[in-house]
């Protein structure tokens, strides 16, 4: 029965995706129906009574009567819900609370109900339908995947509700579905230690010659998995050959026993892998899984910077964005491989868009999904079954076209993700575009980067902090810095204007090897889950890189 599950699931996802496609031809009607149904079903919650949701009969009335609200407006209700009070934000019982990573801001608590999780599952199935069809057009088929995310619950609230990262809630509530998709057993995701979990996941996945995909929340995490595969290749092969699990791994005794019960020696596979190391000098995903068809991870924002390093591990294997989502909402699904644009998820929420010229307004006017224009950037608002109404998450998206009558959007940056020496407002999108181009121009690979501002200059100068990938060398640092300056002028006109007379010339700082690993460790120590690791590539926090060794600083 298990062998039949995946083909049946893929057939179902194609039907669900086809239905979604039909809905995109009627975007305005679908969005209106979603909103009015949501208002009717949530009118008797405490928030529903406060804003008299039951009296609202049109989209225009909704926009007129409900204010645009940030997280802080919902926080008191969520805290009371976590303590056990019912019917505050949602009429349905809250079954899980997501604790956001806080890696780029304050941690937030986000409630989930069975209904909101079902809606999220449907969006994931639509995404799988898009992926399956895209692979089929390439003559490939969808199959099992490697996932290394933790599935550990962090604890219970005072009201007895489980809490933890978003992916944990999703996987646990749909465990029977997802365990059919993973090449590694579900128990591998219960390992607490990050290195041990990645090692064990790789151990099982390496024995699946037909693995089709590798997925992780962010590209940086995909690269980390590749690094583990390369670094521990010999140890993994030895365990595969002998049917052992390395004794030096930090594993809970009971969990080690469960995993050892499922683990068997595979000498023939070990021989194949050892031959790869002999011929290639290392293990890479493209070499060890000949059927690998896709990598699933976040696209848009800063992702393109990390994609520069993907070919050394994956060759031309395509990258699929799956869904663009946060703990609060699912915003869109990706219809194609190797493409940053995604289709607005018109069945998961009611969406509004704040045009750029309204961002400073106290009461900004919003546009509906059918009113946005390609080439324009917007702040996106959502109302959904999580109990949020006109919620401003702070994400900036760009509309790049339409899929039938639903917008195609690309995530660009968080609203607060910018730095200014004067008033130029350089965003993460500007920075990522420039650093990606510099890697190509100078044929180098960077481990990571972060733009900061100097402390002793006024106005402050830009500090371009980079760490080179091991074995890489920057031959002409002056030319690199000059090109950074020129490219940022091209990307950000306001920087170009201010650089003429007010902003001092930038400096390049080459950080010691391991610097960004130290930053990631600092995040882990702050309680950020390792599957949610990300950090700003631009920051006005002068102490963000404090304590890191600067090997060389270069000025123009």
């Amino acid at each position: 029965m298990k062998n039949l599950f995946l083909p049946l699931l893929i057939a179902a996802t194609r039907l669900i995706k086809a239905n979604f496609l039909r809905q995109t031809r009627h975007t305005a009607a679908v969005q209106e129906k979603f909103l009015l149904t949501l208002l009717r079903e949530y009118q008797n919650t405490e928030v529903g009574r406060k804003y008299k949701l039951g009296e609202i009969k049109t989209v225009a009335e909704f926009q007129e009567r409900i204010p645009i609200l940030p997280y802080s407006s919902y926080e008191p209700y969520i805290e009371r819900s976590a303590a056990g009070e019912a019917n505050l934000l949602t009429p349905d019982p809250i079954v899980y609370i997501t604790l956001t990573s806080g890696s780029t801001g304050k941690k937030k608590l986000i409630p989930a109900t069975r209904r909101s999780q079902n809606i999220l599952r449907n969006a994931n199935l639509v995404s799988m339908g898009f992926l399956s069809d895209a692979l089929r057009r390439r003559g490939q088929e969808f199959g099992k995947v490697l996932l290394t995310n933790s599935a550990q619950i962090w604890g219970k609230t005072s009201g007895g509700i489980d809490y933890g990262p978003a992916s944990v809630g999703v996987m646990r509530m749909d465990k029977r579905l997802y365990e059919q998709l993973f090449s590694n057993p579900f128990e591998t995701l219960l390992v607490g230690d990050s290195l041990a979990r990645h090692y064990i996941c790789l151990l099982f996945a390496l024995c699946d010659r037909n693995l089709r995909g590798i997925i992780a929340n962010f590209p940086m995490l995909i690269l980390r998995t590749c690094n583990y595969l390369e670094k521990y290749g010999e140890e993994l092969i030895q365990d595969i050959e002998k049917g052992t699990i390395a004794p030096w791994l930090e594993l809970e005794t009971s969990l080690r026993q469960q995993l050892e019960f499922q683990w068997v020696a595979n000498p023939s596979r070990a021989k194949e892998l050892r031959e790869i190391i002999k011929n290639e000098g290392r293990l890479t995903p493209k070499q060890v899984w000949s059927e690998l068809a896709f990598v699933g991870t976040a696209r848009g924002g800063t992702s393109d910077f990390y994609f520069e390093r993907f070919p050394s591990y994956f060759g031309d294997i395509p990258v699929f964005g799956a869904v663009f989502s946060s703990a609060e909402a699912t915003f869109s699904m990706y219809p194609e491989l190797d493409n940053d644009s995604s289709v607005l998820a018109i069945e998961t929420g009611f969406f509004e868009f704040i045009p750029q010229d309204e961002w400073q307004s106290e009461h900004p006017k919003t546009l509906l999904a059918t009113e946005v224009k390609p080439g324009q950037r917007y702040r996106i608002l959502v109302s959904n079954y999580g109990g949020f109404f006109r919620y401003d998450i702070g994400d900036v998206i760009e509309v790049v076209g339409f899929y039938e009558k639903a917008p195609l959007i690309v995530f660009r940056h968080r609203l607060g993700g910018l730095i200014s020496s004067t008033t130029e407002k350089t965003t993460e999108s500007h920075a990522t575009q420039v650093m990606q181009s510099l890697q190509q121009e100078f044929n180098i690979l960077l481990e990571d980067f972060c733009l900061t501002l100097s402390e002793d200059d006024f106005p402050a100068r830009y500090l371009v902090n980079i760490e080179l990938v091991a074995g890489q060398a920057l031959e002409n640092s002056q030319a690199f810095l000059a090109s950074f300056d020129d490219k940022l002028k091209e990307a950000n006109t306001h920087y170009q204007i201010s650089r003429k007379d007010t902003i001092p010339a930038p400096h390049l700082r080459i950080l010691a090897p391991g610097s960004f690993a130290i930053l990631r460790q600092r995040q882990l120590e702050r309680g950020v889950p390792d599957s949610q690791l990300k950090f700003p590539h631009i920051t006005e926090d002068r102490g963000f890189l404090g304590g890191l060794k600067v090997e060389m600083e270069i000025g123009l």
Side-chain angles (χ1 to χ4, degrees), residues 36-100:
L36 297 181
T37 302
L38 175 67
L39 297 177
R40 182 176 66 251
E41 294 180 349
Y42 277 47
Q43 63 180 317
N44 292 320
T45 63
E46 185 167 316
V47 169
R49 292 192 298 272
K50 175 180 179 179
Y51 291 108
K52 300 180 179 178
L53 299 184
E55 298 179 5
I56 298 174
K57 305 302 180 187
T58 67
V59 171
E61 281 184 29
F62 173 72
Q63 292 175 310
E64 181 181 336
R65 295 176 60 167
I66 307 300
I68 294 172
L69 299 172
Y71 175 77
S72 58
S73 298
Y74 294 96
E75 193 168 19
Y77 297 103
I78 297 174
E79 290 178 348
R80 289 167 57 197
S81 297
E85 287 191 61
N87 202 40
L88 301 177
L89 284 172
T90 69
D92 305 321
I94 293 171
V95 295
Y96 186 77
I97 291 183
T98 294
L99 181 63
T100 67

Side-chain angles (χ1 to χ4, degrees), residues 210-357:
N210 299 316
L211 186 84
R212 296 299 173 88
I214 300 177
I215 57 177
N217 293 344
F218 305 108
M220 182 175 73
L221 305 179
I222 294 284
L223 291 173
R224 182 180 59 179
T225 300
C226 294
N227 179 260
Y228 284 142
L229 177 61
E230 184 176 0
K231 183 176 181 179
Y232 296 101
E234 292 287 357
E235 291 91 338
L236 288 161
I237 291 173
Q238 185 175 352
D239 278 342
I240 291 170
E241 183 177 46
K242 297 182 178 180
T244 55
I245 294 178
W248 51 268
L249 293 174
E250 292 186 28
L251 282 173
E252 300 86 341
T253 301
S254 60
L255 192 53
R256 179 182 282 274
Q257 291 172 348
Q258 288 183 55
L259 293 168
E260 286 176 340
F261 181 76
Q262 300 179 66
W263 180 235
V264 293
N266 193 334
S268 63
R269 181 58 170 158
K271 184 178 179 180
E272 293 172 4
L273 296 172
R274 192 164 275 123
E275 193 67 22
I276 291 173
I277 287 188
K278 179 181 176 182
N279 294 332
E280 305 294 331
R282 61 176 183 160
L283 297 183
T284 64
K286 184 175 176 62
Q287 295 294 334
V288 302
W289 293 296
S290 60
E291 299 294 318
L292 194 65
F294 73 95
V295 179
T297 192
R299 297 192 64 99
T302 60
S303 295
D304 287 350
F305 167 77
Y306 295 106
F307 291 154
E308 289 294 312
R309 293 175 57 193
F310 271 40
S312 66
Y313 294 108
F314 298 104
D316 59 358
I317 291 171
V319 178
F320 182 62
V323 297
F324 164 33
S325 65
S326 67
E328 296 93 329
T330 294
F331 298 101
S332 57
M333 291 85 75
Y334 289 77
E336 299 290 345
L337 300 165
D338 280 337
N339 198 310
D340 283 352
S341 62
S342 52
V343 190
L344 190 69
I346 58 175
E347 296 178 303
T348 72
F350 176 77
F351 299 100
E352 299 172 77
F353 301 83
I354 305 177
Q356 206 161 351
D357 59 6

Side-chain angles (χ1 to χ4, degrees), residues 534-547:
K534 58 185 184 292
F535 52 81
H537 288 88
I538 56 174
T539 178
E540 290 188 326
D541 178 2
R542 306 299 207 272
F544 184 66
L545 303 178

Side-chain angles (χ1 to χ4, degrees), residues 252-469:
E252 300 86 341
T253 301
S254 60
L255 192 53
R256 179 182 282 274
Q257 291 172 348
Q258 288 183 55
L259 293 168
E260 286 176 340
F261 181 76
Q262 300 179 66
W263 180 235
V264 293
N266 193 334
S268 63
R269 181 58 170 158
K271 184 178 179 180
E272 293 172 4
L273 296 172
R274 192 164 275 123
E275 193 67 22
I276 291 173
I277 287 188
K278 179 181 176 182
N279 294 332
E280 305 294 331
R282 61 176 183 160
L283 297 183
T284 64
K286 184 175 176 62
Q287 295 294 334
V288 302
W289 293 296
S290 60
E291 299 294 318
L292 194 65
F294 73 95
V295 179
T297 192
R299 297 192 64 99
T302 60
S303 295
D304 287 350
F305 167 77
Y306 295 106
F307 291 154
E308 289 294 312
R309 293 175 57 193
F310 271 40
S312 66
Y313 294 108
F314 298 104
D316 59 358
I317 291 171
V319 178
F320 182 62
V323 297
F324 164 33
S325 65
S326 67
E328 296 93 329
T330 294
F331 298 101
S332 57
M333 291 85 75
Y334 289 77
E336 299 290 345
L337 300 165
D338 280 337
N339 198 310
D340 283 352
S341 62
S342 52
V343 190
L344 190 69
I346 58 175
E347 296 178 303
T348 72
F350 176 77
F351 299 100
E352 299 172 77
F353 301 83
I354 305 177
Q356 206 161 351
D357 59 6
E358 291 279 341
W359 287 359
Q360 304 305 318
S361 173
E362 185 178 353
H363 301 290
K365 296 178 181 178
T366 63
L367 301 176
L368 302 181
T370 53
E371 298 173 334
V372 294
K373 299 187 183 305
Q376 299 298 309
R377 294 192 177 192
Y378 303 90
R379 271 169 40 209
I380 189 168
L381 308 180
V382 64
S383 304
N384 63 15
Y385 280 90
F388 295 107
F389 295 94
R390 308 198 82 195
Y391 177 68
D392 186 357
I393 192 172
D395 280 352
V396 175
I397 59 95
E398 180 179 349
V399 175
V400 295
F402 283 86
Y403 186 97
E404 296 292 350
K405 294 184 179 180
L408 282 167
I409 64 176
V410 176
F411 169 69
R412 291 306 183 193
H413 61 87
R414 297 283 295 168
L415 185 62
L418 53 83
I419 57 173
S420 291
S421 172
T422 56
T423 58
E424 72 279 6
K425 295 182 180 178
T426 295
T427 68
E428 280 208 328
S429 180
H430 293 137
T432 302
Q433 175 187 333
V434 169
M435 299 307 289
Q436 181 187 7
S437 179
L438 285 170
Q439 288 187 103
Q440 295 169 355
E441 180 183 349
F442 288 86
N443 193 30
I444 62 167
L445 294 175
L446 302 181
E447 181 67 33
D448 226 316
F449 78 95
C450 185
L451 304 188
T452 57
L453 297 173
S454 64
E455 295 186 50
D456 302 326
D457 306 288
F458 186 80
R461 72 175 74 248
Y462 278 54
L463 301 177
V464 186
N465 303 280
I466 66 171
E467 179 186 338
L468 297 166
V469 166

Side-chain angles (χ1 to χ4, degrees), residues 6-147:
L6 206 51
L8 291 173
L9 175 64
I10 295 307
T13 64
R14 288 183 172 136
L15 292 175
I16 294 169
K17 171 247 177 178
N19 181 67
F20 172 76
L21 190 154
R22 287 191 291 271
Q23 298 301 313
T24 61
R25 298 167 186 159
H26 311 284
T27 293
V30 171
Q31 281 281 275
E32 180 181 31
K33 180 181 178 181
F34 182 97
L35 176 64
L36 297 181
T37 302
L38 175 67
L39 297 177
R40 182 176 66 251
E41 294 180 349
Y42 277 47
Q43 63 180 317
N44 292 320
T45 63
E46 185 167 316
V47 169
R49 292 192 298 272
K50 175 180 179 179
Y51 291 108
K52 300 180 179 178
L53 299 184
E55 298 179 5
I56 298 174
K57 305 302 180 187
T58 67
V59 171
E61 281 184 29
F62 173 72
Q63 292 175 310
E64 181 181 336
R65 295 176 60 167
I66 307 300
I68 294 172
L69 299 172
Y71 175 77
S72 58
S73 298
Y74 294 96
E75 193 168 19
Y77 297 103
I78 297 174
E79 290 178 348
R80 289 167 57 197
S81 297
E85 287 191 61
N87 202 40
L88 301 177
L89 284 172
T90 69
D92 305 321
I94 293 171
V95 295
Y96 186 77
I97 291 183
T98 294
L99 181 63
T100 67
S101 68
S103 57
T104 57
K106 179 184 176 183
K107 290 186 178 182
K108 296 179 285 188
L109 301 174
I110 308 298
T113 67
R114 288 287 179 188
R115 179 156 42 174
S116 67
Q117 285 295 316
N118 289 343
I119 290 172
L120 173 58
R121 182 202 303 121
N122 190 73
N124 288 337
L125 293 175
V126 171
S127 172
M128 287 175 59
F130 276 126
L131 173 59
S132 177
D133 284 344
L135 291 175
R136 178 169 285 187
R137 289 193 293 271
R138 289 173 170 244
Q140 298 171 304
E141 289 294 330
F142 181 83
K144 292 204 171 187
V145 301
L146 165 63
L147 178 79

